[in-house]
Amino acid sequence: MTDGARVATRPGATSREAATHCPYCALQCGMTLRETDGRTEVLPRQFPTNRGGLCQKGWTAAELLDHPERLTTPLVRDPVTGEQRPASWDEALDRVAAGIRTVQSGHGRDAVAVFGGGGLTNEKAYALGKFARVALRTRHIDYNGRWCMSSAAAAGIRAFGVDRGLPFPLEDLARAETLLLVGANPAETMPPLLRHLTDQRQRGGRLIVIDPRVTATARQADLHLQPLPGTDLAVANALLHIALTEGWLDREYLATRTTGFDAVRRTVAGYWPAEVERLSGVPVADLEATARALATAGSAIILTARGAEQHAKGVDTVTAFVNLALALGLPGRPGSGYGCLTGQGNGQGGREHGQKADQLPGYRKIDDPAARAHVAGVWGVPADDLPGPGVPAYRLLDSLGTADGPRALLVFGSNPVVSAPRAARIESRLRDLDLLVVADFLRSETAALADVVLPVAQWAEEDGTMTNLEGRVLRRRALREPPPGVRTDLAVLAGLATRLDAPVDFPTDPRTVFTELRRASAGGPADYAGVTWDRIDAASGVFWPCPDPDGPDTPRLFADRFPTPDGRARFHPVTHRPAAEEVCADYPLHFTTGRVLAQYQSGTQTRRVAALRRAAPGAFVELHPDLAARLGVTDGEEVRVVSRRGELRAPARVSPTIRPDTVFAPFHWAGAARANSVTNDAVDPVSGMPEFKICAVRVERVES
Ligand code: SF4
């Protein structure tokens, strides 16, 4: 059943509406879906995050519901022809179950792996984690959110004791006298968020942006620092060095609310602004102006995003900015703090309920005996039957089909053939599997490699919850039933669990799953026990932690204490180190990747939307005019970007908005234009985040 309410729009018309949220990014803009006489339209809806705004992606989201490339029947690979062909659900699920049994009986339980996605609802993410641990009993589950927010998550946990992207509502941005964005480009990734930045500016606030490119967001800033990619950590330490030297630290806050500053003080003492200018290219005057603006403001907020995080030192880079925020006494103060701008639609909820290799629902650790006992009790299985921790996403994918790695993979809501670093290698690993199963509603590049493709429902066809970048739990409401031939992910998991003789039930009703999730999360760091669908419906969402159905939720964290054993935030000294791959004579340029306004992630969805394809039809390579002149490349000419791992080909876009020593390409496209053919698979040792944001390349003209 759906919650789509029937409404009368004009006499004789058959119409219904659902108040829901955009299927794409973590801003989770409010929208109303209206279906009239079989035609579905998107209407913007007032919600605290988007305030009635939508970007192009949201406006056009309904186009995929009836898209001609929509999958409406399972596909199985024919052993004779080698091609995918239509199949019944029974044949497809039987084949998956038989394949899993064969692989596990020959190679052990861990020979089957699961790969999830940051776009899955909380209910699906929870059910997927339970399915892996209880039905498959494999330790191998991880998800593509590992490539999105994992560095900020790890930095937040070690400093604050908890990972909630923003520990305050977005509306607090307007109250910040100084707002520092590090490696964030919301003008292109989540444009309605700019309404909050506009408010902040209209109240007299300052916006400072740190980004190697002159992005659409940087153009709006009062001050733009344009460091060499990979030097953000040094910049943060220099800012703290200046604040320390100038006596701008909040001494009382340091003494009463934090531990460990002395080690950080000793570390940042060596980050002389002049030396950091030589390293990063950021002028000393800009470093000083930024430190002053943050330290002398009545309120200040520091936000990081993928530009700071997607490095092999991403956790330490975010930690450097957290250290700066703590030293200035920002976290927990009204209108102030540190936060991370989460990227994927349910990137936050997806990392709370069991999709991560080391995690159980409620953000519990899978190696914690008490957590295992609690969750096993909710699931109705012995705690000893739960597997231990697996490995992070890239390590998992890179082990597929190898002597020690899984031989079967189930993918839900992800397209690693385009989104994984060093993607050609991962594509080859996927081809080496005995069994690849993909549940999706479009035939992504990963689905095209699969032995079995399972067509699943889209966002407007099923109910559930999402947790946005603020830690606000929202209701996704269905407008209509899935089309004939399509099942929900929950139904797919239930069908497989039955065939695998799982010891417990896998409910298909999302409200029932959420009720179970609440019990599983109770008492954990991300406690949803007091969150009910009715309560979300009655307000504009519910902020976790919310342990009691009759008690308050928590829009703002850290006002009085941090959720650490002693209630204090923890400093960690961090030092700059070079990128995993430095430029050299053969590869003399830095390569960095990112997004464009009209496309989303691996492009499986947005590349199929006509208006978005017109707005952003293909990849490009952004080059500074000086570099283009040196290479003899003209605007629009096809170029080749070559790294030690592979190459991409795309037209040059000559622009002064990028540093002369750096080239940029968006990562939404497949085939020859795949940016991740080039990227480095070095990962952060703590978070497992790959170094998407910097590697060494050369650029060549492609002779006609
Ligand atoms: Fe959707 Fe994000 Fe665009 Fe809002 S900003 S409409 S959530 S893609």
Side-chain angles (χ1 to χ4, degrees), residues 14 16 66 81 83 116 123 189-190 193 228 316 355 363 370 407 414 476 596 642 647 650 703:
T14 305
R16 58 183 158 187
D66 299 308
T81 67
E83 301 295 322
E123 291 78 3
T189 56
M190 39 182 70
L193 187 143
L228 182 72
D316 284 353
Q355 276 190 100
Y363 229 130
R407 306 217 53 85
S414 190
R476 171 177 283 187
V596 297
V642 185
E647 66 174 55
E703 304 297 338

Side-chain angles (χ1 to χ4, degrees), residues 28-262:
Q28 286 294 289
C29 295
M31 62 168 57
T32 299
L33 283 179
R34 178 183 291 167
E35 186 183 84
T36 308
D37 291 341
R39 202 177 72 83
T40 306
E41 60 183 330
V42 169
L43 306 170
R45 185 166 67 87
Q46 284 294 335
F47 195 75
T49 56
N50 62 309
R51 297 183 176 169
L54 294 175
C55 78
Q56 286 169 283
K57 299 183 286 288
W59 276 111
T60 56
E63 194 176 309
L64 292 172
L65 291 171
D66 299 308
H67 197 278
E69 292 179 57
R70 177 82 193 267
L71 294 170
T72 55
T73 184
L75 303 172
V76 299
R77 191 169 296 283
D78 190 293
V80 177
T81 67
E83 301 295 322
Q84 291 176 342
R85 60 162 174 79
S88 69
W89 271 99
D90 276 343
E91 181 186 359
L93 293 178
D94 286 349
R95 181 141 162 198
V96 175
I100 289 170
R101 284 187 192 283
T102 302
V103 166
Q104 288 194 318
S105 64
H107 304 277
R109 295 187 185 282
D110 290 341
V112 176
V114 177
F115 198 74
L120 301 178
T121 60
N122 288 320
E123 291 78 3
K124 294 187 208 179
Y126 168 82
L128 200 58
K130 176 180 168 182
F131 178 81
R133 275 65 179 244
V134 173
L136 298 175
R137 292 185 60 188
T138 177
R139 71 187 179 99
H140 285 310
I141 177 169
D142 213 63
Y143 81 130
N144 64 18
R146 182 73 72 172
W147 302 338
C148 196
M149 299 78 49
S150 60
S151 289
I157 288 171
R158 76 180 182 184
F160 306 127
V162 71
D163 156 36
R164 200 180 89 182
L166 294 182
F168 44 75
L170 266 178
E171 66 191 54
D172 283 12
L173 298 187
R175 299 162 64 190
E177 286 180 23
T178 297
L179 178 56
L180 174 63
L181 295 182
V182 187
N185 183 15
E188 294 214 60
T189 56
M190 39 182 70
L193 187 143
L194 292 199
R195 295 175 180 217
H196 298 274
L197 303 193
T198 302
D199 275 3
Q200 188 249 354
R201 307 288 299 288
Q202 286 175 346
R203 289 187 186 195
R206 278 163 298 201
L207 175 64
I208 303 174
V209 170
I210 299 179
D211 200 304
R213 299 169 62 222
V214 188
T215 62
T217 309
R219 279 196 287 276
Q220 301 187 23
D222 299 289
L223 179 60
H224 174 207
L225 280 51
Q226 196 173 2
L228 182 72
T231 60
D232 293 336
L233 192 161
V235 168
N237 277 359
L239 296 175
L240 184 46
H241 174 108
I242 294 165
L244 180 64
T245 309
E246 296 292 333
W248 287 333
L249 306 191
D250 186 332
R251 296 283 168 194
E252 189 190 338
Y253 186 96
L254 285 176
T256 60
R257 302 217 50 194
T258 70
T259 59
F261 180 65
D262 281 347

Side-chain angles (χ1 to χ4, degrees), residues 360-446:
L360 289 172
Y363 229 130
R364 288 182 157 93
K365 298 290 286 181
I366 201 167
D367 54 5
D368 171 3
R372 293 170 66 86
H374 172 82
V375 174
V378 173
W379 287 348
V381 297
D384 287 346
D385 283 2
L386 298 181
V391 297
Y394 186 78
R395 230 177 107 195
L396 171 62
L397 294 182
D398 193 30
S399 71
L400 296 175
T402 63
D404 302 325
R407 306 217 53 85
L409 179 72
L410 279 58
V411 179
F412 287 77
S414 190
N415 186 16
V417 167
V418 176
S419 61
R422 200 173 189 177
R425 178 174 166 126
I426 295 306
E427 185 175 339
S428 152
R429 298 281 193 244
L430 292 169
R431 290 181 192 278
D432 286 344
L433 287 167
D434 296 346
L435 176 70
L436 174 61
V437 180
V438 174
D440 210 327
F441 58 90
L442 292 162
R443 194 165 170 271
S444 69
E445 286 73 15
T446 305

Side-chain angles (χ1 to χ4, degrees), residues 233-322:
L233 192 161
V235 168
N237 277 359
L239 296 175
L240 184 46
H241 174 108
I242 294 165
L244 180 64
T245 309
E246 296 292 333
W248 287 333
L249 306 191
D250 186 332
R251 296 283 168 194
E252 189 190 338
Y253 186 96
L254 285 176
T256 60
R257 302 217 50 194
T258 70
T259 59
F261 180 65
D262 281 347
V264 170
R265 183 209 314 268
R266 287 193 293 275
T267 300
V268 301
Y271 282 76
W272 295 97
E275 284 184 22
V276 172
E277 175 178 334
R278 272 193 291 281
L279 179 75
S280 69
V282 177
V284 169
D286 288 351
L287 293 170
E288 289 174 346
T290 302
R292 184 180 301 108
L294 287 167
T296 60
S299 54
I301 289 177
I302 300 172
L303 299 179
T304 61
R306 305 304 82 72
E309 295 169 39
Q310 290 180 327
H311 295 271
K313 57 176 180 294
V315 176
D316 284 353
T317 299
V318 174
T319 297
F321 285 98
V322 169

